[in-house]
């Protein structure tokens, strides 16, 4: 099964908001509301940001929010900070045999 | 501290084998599904394998089926992956991750261990 589709890069200035989109198919995003988002600073452990499309883990800043409509999920980061510069990945459940699939990742640059 | 720490990575020849380990601390491994996820150089994350809490259910990405075997020792809080018939395309950082079964998200990750397959 092919990876979910994400734009390769996005940028924004400190304080601004950006949105990263993730597009799937009827086999994954369109069928299941089980999409999650991860932040990954190279060399470090990836970090869960959003699960079940729009839920935040306890203690995570509310600057991070998620949504889903049809076969597209979105991650919005508001009030951009320098520390937000990282790679961001979406992930969706895709059924019993496939389990989960990731997006190709989006590199966020804070200008 | 709740954490996962991987080990066992290194250089292997094509066709060779490696076994990666992941030790869990701060929580009982027996209570969670666990996974391996990898990232090839310059590429994105790719799910590799899952295992249910009791070891009774396992799933693998098609590219490693028949070559990789995920296992666990809940008494020692260890997760493993035995990697055989290694190929150059298996070169990646391998992450151990805690998976919330049923809702399918990874809520805890290790920092990874690098596997390089090259002659």
């Amino acid at each position: 099964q092919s990876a979910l589709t994400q734009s390769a890069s996005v940028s924004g200035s400190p304080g601004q908001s950006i949105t990263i989109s993730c597009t799937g198919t009827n086999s994954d995003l369109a069928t299941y509301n089980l999409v999650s988002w991860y932040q990954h600073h190279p060399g470090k452990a990836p970090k869960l940001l959003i699960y079940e499309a729009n839920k935040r883990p306890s203690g995570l800043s509310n600057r991070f929010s998620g949504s889903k409509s049809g076969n597209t999920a979105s991650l919005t980061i508001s009030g951009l900070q320098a520390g937000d510069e990282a790679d961001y990945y979406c992930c969706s459940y895709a059924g019993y045999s496939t389990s989960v699939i990731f997006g190709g990742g989006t590199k966020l640059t804070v200008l | 501290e709740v954490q996962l720490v991987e080990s066992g990575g290194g250089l292997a020849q094509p066709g060779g084998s490696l076994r990666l380990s992941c030790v869990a601390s701060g929580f009982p491994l027996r209570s969670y599904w666990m996974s391996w996820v990898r990232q090839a150089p310059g590429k994105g994350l790719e799910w590799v394998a899952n295992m249910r809490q009791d070891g009774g259910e396992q799933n693998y990405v098609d590219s490693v089926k028949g070559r990789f075997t995920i296992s666990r020792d809940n008494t020692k809080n260890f997760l493993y992956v035995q990697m055989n018939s290694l190929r150059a395309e298996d070169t990646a950082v391998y992450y151990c991750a805690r998976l919330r079964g049923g809702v399918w998200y990874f809520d805890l990750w290790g920092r990874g261990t690098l596997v390089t397959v090259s002659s």
Side-chain angles (χ1 to χ4, degrees), chain A residues 13-18 61-64 76-84 110:
Chain A
S13 299
Q16 288 186 332
S17 295
I18 61 96
S61 169
N62 60 8
R63 296 189 303 110
F64 298 92
T76 298
I77 308 174
S78 60
L80 274 179
Q81 301 175 358
D84 296 333
V110 179

Side-chain angles (χ1 to χ4, degrees), chain B:
Chain B
E1 181 182 2
V2 175
Q3 63 177 355
L4 298 167
V5 178
E6 304 91 339
S7 60
L11 177 64
Q13 292 199 336
S17 300
L18 275 179
R19 188 177 86 150
L20 306 184
S21 301
C22 168
V23 60
S25 55
F27 69 96
L29 192 74
R30 66 180 180 274
S31 297
Y32 296 90
W33 281 77
M34 294 297 295
S35 299
W36 289 97
V37 177
R38 67 184 178 184
Q39 183 176 32
K43 304 292 186 181
L45 299 174
E46 178 186 40
W47 165 76
V48 174
N50 287 341
M51 176 170 265
R52 197 174 65 194
Q53 290 96 323
D54 62 359
E57 184 175 341
Q58 306 160 32
N59 303 100
Y60 299 90
V61 68
D62 285 348
S63 60
V64 309
K65 283 180 181 176
R67 301 188 299 122
F68 288 15
T69 302
I70 188 172
S71 62
R72 62 198 294 160
D73 184 339
N74 287 338
T75 64
K76 297 180 180 178
N77 259 20
F78 269 88
L79 178 75
Y80 306 100
V81 61
Q82 177 67 42
M83 306 186 296
N84 298 331
S85 302
L86 283 164
R87 306 167 181 168
E89 54 265 36
D90 295 319
T91 295
V93 175
Y94 284 74
Y95 298 96
C96 171
R98 190 171 74 179
L99 174 65
R100 293 300 187 121
V103 283
W104 304 104
Y105 63 89
F106 304 98
D107 68 343
L108 180 67
W109 298 69
R111 297 188 67 163
T113 185
L114 175 63
V115 171
T116 303
V117 183
S118 175
S119 55

Side-chain angles (χ1 to χ4, degrees), chain A residues 7-69:
Chain A
S7 53
S9 63
V10 65
S11 62
S13 299
Q16 288 186 332
S17 295
I18 61 96
T19 296
I20 299 171
S21 295
C22 170
T23 302
T25 68
N26 288 336
S27 298
D28 37 70
L29 278 180
T31 299
Y32 305 101
N33 212 41
L34 301 175
V35 58
S36 51
W37 289 90
Y38 303 89
Q39 177 190 63
H40 189 205
H41 290 101
K44 295 191 174 182
K47 177 183 178 181
L48 174 68
L49 298 177
I50 298 290
Y51 65 98
E52 293 181 62
N54 58 13
K55 296 180 181 178
R56 270 189 310 274
S58 175
L60 187 74
S61 169
N62 60 8
R63 296 189 303 110
F64 298 92
S65 61
S67 63
K68 188 180 87 75
S69 178

